[in-house]
Amino acid sequence: MWPAPVTLSGDHVTLAPLSLEHAPALKEASAVGALHRLWYTTVPTPKNMETEITRRLALQDAGTMLPFCVMTPDGTPVGMTTFMNIDAINKRVEIGSTWYRKSVQRSLLNAEAKRLLLSYAFDDLGCIAVELRTHFMNHQSRAAIERLGAKLDGVLRSHMDQGNGVLRDTAVYSIIASEWPAVRANLTWRLEKPRN
């Protein structure tokens, strides 16, 4: 299996292999702020958390996804993220299906989670590119992706049915291997700069 399940840890976040044991805490994380009601993104409802975890684990077994539980340093689950659309032959992955509990959004947790994932992809797996995709209207997500240093490849118009009668326009971003040193330096600076 490429990539194989792994735990990635930093000062602000731990990314652990997702399991059904994480479901109770992830239900609570999803319920706070009613994240599952946002129309432009897909966050599992508390009621469907086990189903979503099972779906992600089935995709892992099929070799197309590597799901992680996002946890605070004390081990509290606060969200999920994945390597998805895995292309082992061309050494490409997409970071996606990411959501975080409201209280940790716009914190150092996200910057460090992305640094850990990108470092694993480029430094350990030898990826040539990492994609990030989001709804064109998800301005918060697009701004976060752009702060990483990812470049907009384009917009896939009417790309997919979200299941709520809305066709999603998907903004596709990527970071290629030659850009990784600058992206890593930017993320490291953001994580280490003094806070007021």
Side-chain angles (χ1 to χ4, degrees):
M1 178 183 290
W2 183 93
V6 64
T7 298
L8 305 172
S9 296
D11 294 331
H12 307 283
V13 67
T14 295
L15 305 176
L18 183 65
S19 77
L20 284 166
E21 293 176 10
H22 299 124
L26 291 173
K27 285 181 182 184
E28 181 187 338
S30 170
V32 175
L35 297 178
H36 57 281
R37 294 191 179 156
L38 297 172
W39 73 271
Y40 52 79
T41 191
T42 304
V43 175
T45 65
K47 180 175 75 173
N48 293 329
M49 192 61 67
E50 285 93 350
T51 301
E52 176 60 12
I53 292 171
T54 300
R55 182 188 77 84
R56 292 184 186 210
L57 293 175
L59 291 171
Q60 176 178 292
D61 291 342
T64 61
M65 180 180 276
L66 183 62
F68 295 92
C69 178
V70 179
M71 300 186 294
T72 56
D74 68 0
T76 303
V78 292
M80 291 192 275
T81 192
T82 73
F83 282 143
M84 56 193 284
N85 295 319
I86 294 169
D87 182 347
I89 293 171
N90 292 301
K91 301 283 189 182
R92 296 177 69 96
V93 297
E94 176 187 339
I95 296 173
S97 293
T98 301
W99 64 272
Y100 302 129
R101 181 185 188 111
K102 194 166 183 64
S103 62
V104 299
Q105 292 176 11
R106 299 183 186 208
S107 71
L108 293 178
L109 178 143
N110 181 53
E112 187 168 58
K114 293 300 188 288
R115 185 176 70 174
L116 290 168
L117 289 167
L118 289 165
S119 180
Y120 186 61
F122 288 118
D123 300 333
D124 297 319
L125 300 176
C127 285
I128 62 170
V130 174
E131 284 187 15
L132 300 104
R133 297 181 177 206
T134 191
H135 194 299
F136 181 80
M137 298 297 287
N138 190 341
H139 301 293
Q140 180 177 335
S141 178
R142 290 186 69 187
I145 291 169
E146 290 170 5
R147 279 193 305 273
L148 289 174
K151 306 282 192 306
L152 179 65
D153 294 326
V155 178
L156 302 174
R157 300 182 67 211
S158 293
H159 176 231
M160 57 191 296
D161 185 343
Q162 291 187 186
N164 59 359
V166 175
L167 291 176
R168 171 177 142 159
D169 289 347
T170 300
V172 181
Y173 293 84
S174 68
I175 299 167
I176 61 174
S178 62
E179 296 167 339
W180 169 231
V183 170
R184 178 177 47 217
N186 178 51
L187 283 168
T188 300
W189 175 80
R190 286 175 51 201
L191 288 165
E192 294 177 353
K193 72 179 182 179
R195 305 281 174 236
N196 293 336

